[in-house]
Amino acid sequence: MTTEYIDILVHNKVIESGAYPSPLNYLGFPKSVCTSVNNVACHGIPDDRQLVDGDIVSVDVTVFCNGHHGDCCETYLVGNVDEAGQHLTQTARKCRDEAIALCAPGIPFAAVGAKVEDIAEGEGVTVVPCFVGRGIGKCFRGPPDIYRCRGLSQPPGQMPLHEKTFTQWILSTLLVYLMTPATLSLSKEV
C-alpha cells in the first residue's frame, strides 16, 4: 500500500460523507491528507512510496463540514516495528491520553504542554517544539494553538468555563493530532 492510496481512500470517504478535505489546495498543498512516514515529523505529502515492514505512518485528516474544520490524526505501525518505534508510539499515545484527561474548564492551555513534556522526558523521548495542536473551528488552523512543550511563548488563556462536554470534545479531537509519534523523537537508546 502507498500513502497515495491512503489519500485516495480518505478523499473519497470525505466527499461521500458530504464534507471537504481541508488540506486540499491549502497554500498549494496537493493532497487531501497528510501522511508522515517514519522520520517525517509532520505534514508529509502522500506519494507512490510503498509502505514496508517496520514503517510508522501518521495519517492526519482534516475535514470541513457544516461550517467547521475538524482535525485528527492516528498513527499506524506497519508490520514488525522495532522496539524503539513501538516505545515512541506508546509514549505518544500516553502523552495524548494523559493530556486529554487533564483537560477541563479553567485549565490553562500551557498546562497541556507541560504535561506532555513531563511524560515525554520521563520516557526518554523529546518533543519537537515547532508544531502545535489545534481542534475544531470555523478557521482552518485557527486559534488556540496548543503547544506540547514548555519554554515557548504559550498562548494566553484557559479552556472555556462553560459547556464542559463541548470543551472536552473539542480538546479530545485536538489532542488526537497533538501527539503523534512523528512529533516526538528518541533522545536516548530504549
Side-chain angles (χ1 to χ4, degrees):
M1 176 181 291
T2 66
T3 55
E4 173 71 24
Y5 182 69
I6 293 169
D7 181 71
I8 292 167
L9 289 175
V10 173
H11 176 90
N12 290 341
K13 187 64 174 174
V14 167
I15 298 301
E16 287 171 17
S17 300
Y20 182 82
S22 299
L24 185 59
N25 297 318
Y26 176 75
L27 298 177
F29 192 81
K31 301 294 180 175
S32 295
V33 299
C34 299
T35 53
S36 302
V37 181
N38 298 329
N39 63 340
V40 176
C42 195
H43 304 141
I45 300 172
D47 60 21
D48 61 358
R49 175 198 182 276
Q50 288 287 326
L51 295 172
V52 298
D53 188 57
D55 279 343
I56 300 172
V57 59
S58 294
V59 181
D60 180 6
V61 179
T62 307
V63 300
F64 183 74
C65 186
N66 297 327
H68 292 82
H69 296 273
D71 188 4
C72 64
C73 185
E74 184 55 73
T75 300
Y76 302 92
L77 305 180
V78 179
N80 300 302
V81 173
D82 64 21
E83 285 185 34
Q86 290 179 40
H87 176 71
L88 186 63
T89 304
Q90 291 166 353
T91 300
R93 288 186 173 129
K94 180 178 180 181
C95 288
R96 176 197 65 202
D97 294 347
E98 291 195 25
I100 289 170
L102 174 70
C103 294
I107 298 296
F109 292 130
V112 175
K115 173 60 101 177
V116 167
E117 192 166 31
D118 287 346
I119 294 166
E121 287 177 353
E123 293 291 336
V125 300
T126 57
V127 177
V128 177
C130 58
F131 299 108
V132 297
R134 296 184 186 90
I136 297 170
K138 291 183 179 187
C139 179
F140 184 41
R141 297 194 170 160
D145 293 339
I146 307 297
Y147 291 86
R148 57 186 71 111
C149 58
R150 286 183 231 85
L152 298 173
S153 177
Q154 294 290 325
Q158 302 175 337
M159 295 173 199
L161 295 173
H162 52 78
E163 299 193 30
K164 179 179 179 181
T165 303
F166 184 69
T167 301
Q168 289 176 334
W169 174 63
I170 289 173
L171 289 165
S172 295
T173 302
L174 176 150
L175 289 165
V176 166
Y177 171 71
L178 178 67
M179 290 312 309
T180 60
T183 61
L184 294 176
S185 62
L186 291 173
S187 62
K188 65 180 180 182
E189 290 293 319
V190 178

